[in-house]
Amino acid sequence: MELAGTTTETVTAGKTYVAQFRVIYVHHNFQEYLRFTERFAEYLQVEYFDTPAGALEALKENYPADVIIAHDGSGGVELLDLIRNSAGFGNIPFVLLVDRLSRQAIDVARERNADDVFSVNFDDGDLITRIKYFKKRQWYVANKASQKIGSQGHKTPLWKRAIDVATTGTAVILLLPVFIIVAILIKLDSKGPVFYKSKRVGSGYKIFDLYKFRTMRTDADQLIRKMAALNMYSKAEPVSQIETQGLCEDCLAGNQCKSLLFHDGKEICEKLYHYQKEQKAAFMKFQNDPRITRLGSFLRNSSIDELPQLLNILKGDMSLVGNRPLPLYEAEKMTTDDKILRFAGPAGLTGLWQVTKRGKGKSDMTEEERTQLDITYAREFSFKMDLEIILKTFPALLQSENV
């Protein structure tokens, strides 16, 4: 059963499975990542980072993570603090990884508001069961919030719906050749569906699938593992020596090549240490390449991947003008009495806070500023206000910053 997001087909031991959840996995030890993905390939689509900075960048680029799993020795605690204090993704479920589960590790996880803590061997609990619980918790919050906002009597006026259908219907008809050509090219470029779907929360706290053209491979995690195997183990002898003895051939023969170093508690000669770093750097250099298809880069840079959202408007999921539909983990933070009113208004492609930001020349806005503008729109939107927002949006589209 698909609980949220887009499922991804994976092939393991000749069988086809559906990865139900997207995971950001942070660990400095690449071998731990390989072991993790081999163990949970049936259920998880894993995006690997060896530092918290990479994980944060992926989140800022709207990678739809269902859960973050980070090792405490790889900046996991620091990443947890950053996530919990984040305006945009502070409610993403977070699992802290430790080398050995202990009372101290549990206390740290509880103090820092982690959702759970596991040892790297995952021999002290069922990770998949916990992730399923996190998703069920999000759906429970969504159901309660939907009931709460329902009393506000939100409803899209006839004039607004008529404008949406007329303008969007015309646009879809005119752009139909583009849709067909892009769909064919996506199919020719890589295996997988034409459309990418992600769960969003819109008007009345209703959850819907937001459509985009697919720009990523569906087998990216499997491809990364294969590339890692080819790259990391193409020269088996040096790698084997690193893992077993930490000495190169010269050192083993009694001729110390360079000074010995201590790395991860082991003695390793400098020659092999740099070899290991070069191998990892070479892999990381092209690690992100297989995620994005050749066509996908063009679709993203040209914003053509966003065109299917016109179908969302035709379906009535959202409007041309309204409040930005939010990912589940971000919408969770908006269920308090002072913020939930932003869901009483329509969801939309462009809105009041986007053009307000542009009009004031702001490079960024605080969460509170955006929320208050969303609430203002939900309370006061009108034909005149929508028209003004649309007219202000067109000049912004010609500028480099995406609103």
Side-chain angles (χ1 to χ4, degrees), residues 7 9 76 104 106 123 139 168 212 269 292 300 321 380:
T7 57
E9 288 190 359
Q104 181 181 4
I106 294 173
D123 52 7
W139 285 92
T168 308
K212 291 186 178 183
C269 83
I292 309 298
R300 289 188 175 194
V321 181
E380 302 176 7

Side-chain angles (χ1 to χ4, degrees), residues 3 20-25 32 35-41 43-46 66-70 93-97 115-135:
L3 293 179
Q20 295 177 329
F21 309 103
R22 296 185 183 90
V23 172
I24 282 181
Y25 182 88
E32 289 293 342
R35 282 190 282 269
F36 178 81
T37 53
E38 287 294 343
R39 179 168 181 173
F40 297 108
Y43 302 98
L44 306 179
Q45 176 187 345
V46 184
D66 293 310
V67 62
I68 299 171
I69 301 176
F94 197 109
V95 172
L96 189 65
L97 279 188
D115 292 276
D116 211 333
V117 56
F118 280 83
S119 70
V120 290
N121 295 322
F122 293 94
D123 52 7
D124 43 32
D126 188 334
L127 176 65
I128 302 303
T129 297
R130 289 296 291 160
I131 295 177
K132 288 180 178 179
Y133 164 74
F134 298 152
K135 299 309 297 181

Side-chain angles (χ1 to χ4, degrees), residues 6-8 22 45-47 49 58 61-64 186 189-196 212-221 223-224 287-297 299-300 305:
T6 303
T7 57
T8 300
R22 296 185 183 90
Q45 176 187 345
V46 184
E47 187 70 12
F49 301 95
E61 293 178 357
N62 297 316
Y63 179 78
I186 289 174
D189 190 41
S190 63
K191 294 181 179 179
V194 170
F195 296 111
Y196 160 85
K212 291 186 178 183
F213 282 123
R214 179 175 58 84
T215 59
M216 295 176 61
R217 294 179 62 113
T218 59
D219 60 345
D221 50 339
L223 182 62
I224 286 174
Q287 176 192 343
N288 289 327
D289 290 348
R291 284 205 310 126
I292 309 298
T293 64
R294 290 170 296 178
L295 179 65
S297 296
L299 296 179
R300 289 188 175 194
D305 65 318

